[in-house]
Amino acid sequence: MSLKRPAAVLVLAAGQGTRMKSGIPKVLHSIGGRSLVGHAIASSRGLDPEHLVVVVRHERDLVAAHVQDFDPEALIADQDEIPGTGRAAQCAMAVADAAAQSRTVAHSDGPPPPGCAGEGLVGPVVIVAGDVPLLDTGTLAALLEAHVEDGNAVTVLTTVVPDPTGYGRIVREDGTGDVVGIVEQKDTTPEQAEIDEINSAVYVMDAAVLRNALGRLGRDNAQGEVYLTDVIAVAREDGQHVRAVIAEDSLLVEGVNDRVQLATLGAELNRRILTEWMRAGVTVVDPASTWVDADVELAPDVTLLPGTQLHGSTQIGAGSTIGPDTTLRDVQVGENASVIRTHGSESQIGDGASVGPFAYLRPGAILGAEGKIGTFVEVKNSEIGERSKVPHLSYIGDATIGHDSNVGAASVTVNYDGVRKHRTVIGSHARTGADNMFVAPVTVGDGAYSGAGTVVRRDVPPGALAVSQGSQRNIEGWVTSRRPGTPAAEAATAAADPAAGSLSAQARAERERGSTS
């Protein structure tokens, strides 16, 4: 059967997360290049819901801004001072129902759109926690499919763990295996505390059932909260089916409560990401030292050497080798390129190009196909054309370099006058000497040359040679007269008169023997 589109997904992200011991809301802590709530939104969006609502409370403005930056179409629901997941769901349903009613009004000339009716949502509603980062769309889709196929009022995603301490226990009916209820840790009897099947806090509920049950919930429990799990008891009282789907992989539904769990699930997510890429044709030489974010894209036959970290929206083309000891964030690398011991962000590297070792690519660095950015070179907001090279010890900032040019070692584009940045333009097939300073704004024409040590302050016409040094002057005998008795003076004397140099060396040896006798 085709998967039914959910009427809504509700993401519960209102909690403070005190065990994180952080000024940052728990759901904004990140693994794999995404916040915890970002992972929840991404997996939920894979279901293509009619509405996606995120419930916020703690650091409300900070979380809401992050959510809308991550997913501009997400709706925000504010939880009030009444605590509990049930209250969070009530607040989310109010927003989702209002959105559904608005859509119904907008389509008043025809039939209501799917998932909408005059009173609000119609159909399945998926509910997920905002701190379960490994939960994927496939698992949610399987839960939704089971819910629809079985005609359930409520379907719960559960798992079995060796130590269920701290989790809500799944109580099943003898014989049918239907879910009778979910009992929170503080409310369990001794017998219920022994149950090893636990609640994942992930559900699919019929919108009408959820709406009706939420209106009947109270706070008569050990924590004085409105429990979403009490919806199950209400549905059972009404004679409706409540069933569970067991997730065989318990890590998929494990939440983050402290920094230890954050690190553990971060490492596990990275392991899964690398496994997926290796099965897709990527070579990862040392998975233990290689980190790849969830949104990175790798082509077949990419090789990642030890110590490589790829973050953000980085994309690596087929046949390229990255590393060792390289960190790239939001960098696009073409095919068959090599990037060695490099730190780069928001940059582009063309096909067949080489970068590093010990290169620094700052935002806006663009290297053309078969170009080279070499050892101890920093590039910022600059375009370096095809087959052009900046091989050694240079800073290229706010510059445009044409194709097939070579910039000599220890060169600097002097782009800042203390108030404004200015641009340097070096044409194609240019050859600039070592230790050149290009004082921007300045242009070096196509095919131009410059001598070593040149300070380029004025434009250089195409094909011209730029030099800024005067004629060289040698002062003969300066060392022997100004630095007598030094090794340099003795070396100079020996070079000028080999016989005198030998005598001097013999006398020095005799002096040394005398000083030790």
Side-chain angles (χ1 to χ4, degrees):
M1 62 172 290
S2 61
L3 178 64
K4 181 176 177 61
R5 186 182 188 188
V9 176
L10 314 181
V11 180
L12 310 187
Q16 182 175 359
T18 55
R19 281 180 280 176
M20 296 295 288
K21 301 186 184 303
S22 175
I24 301 171
K26 178 175 72 171
V27 296
L28 297 190
H29 284 263
S30 297
I31 62 172
R34 290 182 192 155
S35 65
L36 299 180
V37 71
H39 282 287
I41 293 171
S43 59
S44 299
R45 272 296 178 205
L47 298 176
D48 190 27
E50 295 286 345
H51 306 281
L52 191 149
V53 183
V54 181
V55 185
V56 299
R57 183 164 188 251
H58 178 66
E59 294 286 353
R60 185 263 180 213
D61 292 343
L62 191 62
V63 177
H66 174 81
V67 167
Q68 294 189 318
D69 182 61
F70 187 88
D71 185 343
E73 295 184 1
L75 303 174
I76 301 297
D78 290 290
Q79 184 171 355
D80 54 23
E81 71 281 357
I82 300 174
T85 53
R87 183 58 178 172
Q90 286 176 331
C91 298
M93 282 295 290
V95 170
D97 281 338
Q101 290 168 356
S102 177
R103 290 189 70 210
T104 301
V105 171
H107 292 78
S108 58
D109 293 337
C116 299
E119 71 277 9
L121 296 178
V122 175
V125 175
V126 179
I127 303 175
V128 302
D131 62 353
V132 184
L134 268 58
L135 183 64
D136 57 14
T137 299
T139 300
L140 289 176
L143 181 69
L144 178 60
E145 185 173 4
H147 176 86
V148 173
E149 284 187 343
D150 292 348
N152 298 336
V154 178
T155 309
V156 186
L157 184 63
T158 70
T159 194
V160 176
V161 295
D163 181 8
T165 303
Y167 294 98
R169 309 306 202 278
I170 301 297
V171 181
R172 289 181 179 264
E173 183 177 66
D174 293 338
T176 68
D178 285 2
V179 176
V180 175
I182 300 175
V183 183
E184 299 298 331
Q185 171 75 34
K186 293 184 178 181
D187 300 313
T188 57
T189 66
E191 293 78 14
Q192 291 169 339
E194 296 299 318
I195 297 172
D196 60 1
E197 184 181 4
I198 62 168
N199 178 29
S200 71
V202 179
Y203 316 90
V204 181
M205 302 184 182
D206 179 78
V209 171
L210 177 59
R211 190 182 299 110
N212 173 270
L214 288 174
R216 296 156 62 181
L217 299 185
R219 300 169 61 182
D220 184 19
N221 53 65
Q223 304 209 114
E225 298 183 3
V226 181
Y227 285 158
L228 181 58
T229 51
D230 289 344
V231 169
I232 291 169
V234 174
R236 291 279 301 181
E237 288 174 9
D238 293 344
Q240 295 168 319
H241 290 295
V242 179
R243 296 191 174 99
V245 173
I246 299 176
E248 299 296 333
D249 182 354
S250 61
L251 288 177
L252 286 175
V253 295
E254 183 169 333
V256 172
N257 292 302
D258 57 29
R259 308 286 183 128
V260 175
Q261 288 177 312
L262 184 73
T264 299
L265 291 183
E268 177 60 22
L269 176 61
N270 187 67
R271 186 191 69 78
R272 295 180 184 214
I273 289 171
L274 293 180
T275 297
E276 183 178 339
W277 283 121
M278 286 188 283
R279 287 176 175 160
V282 173
T283 295
V284 181
V285 174
D286 181 22
S289 66
T290 304
W291 291 79
V292 174
D293 282 355
D295 292 326
V296 169
E297 296 182 11
L298 306 175
D301 292 319
V302 164
T303 298
L304 305 183
L305 298 178
T308 293
Q309 300 183 50
L310 304 180
H311 300 301
S313 59
T314 294
Q315 299 175 348
I316 311 297
S320 290
T321 298
I322 311 298
D325 306 323
T326 293
T327 299
L328 304 179
R329 180 178 296 277
D330 302 326
V331 174
Q332 281 68 55
V333 180
E335 297 183 356
N336 301 308
S338 172
V339 185
I340 305 170
R341 289 192 168 87
T342 293
H343 190 102
S345 61
E346 300 176 37
S347 301
Q348 298 177 31
I349 299 169
D351 294 346
S354 66
V355 178
F358 309 114
Y360 181 24
L361 306 184
R362 292 168 60 190
I366 301 174
L367 178 62
E370 300 180 44
K372 178 181 178 63
I373 293 174
T375 308
F376 299 111
V377 174
E378 177 180 345
V379 180
K380 185 268 294 182
N381 191 31
S382 297
E383 300 177 18
I384 300 172
E386 295 181 358
R387 297 176 298 281
S388 287
K389 300 177 181 180
V390 186
H392 323 284
L393 302 163
S394 297
Y395 170 71
I396 305 298
D398 298 293
T400 300
I401 300 174
H403 61 82
D404 297 288
S405 289
N406 188 90
V407 175
S411 293
V412 175
T413 58
V414 186
N415 56 337
Y416 185 49
D417 64 6
V419 179
R420 294 181 300 274
K421 297 289 182 71
H422 301 280
R423 200 157 191 88
T424 296
V425 177
I426 298 174
S428 299
H429 295 284
R431 297 289 184 271
T432 69
D435 196 27
N436 278 195
M437 301 290 114
F438 300 92
V439 183
V442 70
T443 298
V444 177
D446 291 350
Y449 277 55
S450 62
T454 297
V455 179
V456 182
R457 298 180 182 275
R458 301 195 307 271
D459 289 353
V460 180
L465 169 65
V467 293
S468 64
Q469 301 297 318
S471 300
Q472 180 174 325
R473 184 165 63 99
N474 299 331
I475 303 174
E476 297 287 345
W478 187 92
V479 173
T480 54
S481 63
R482 298 297 184 91
R483 300 290 186 269
T486 63
E490 292 184 0
T493 299
D497 186 352
S502 299
L503 291 173
S504 176
Q506 181 179 358
R508 184 169 63 252
E510 290 175 352
R511 288 198 303 271
E512 291 174 353
R513 284 196 298 272
S515 65
T516 58
S517 61

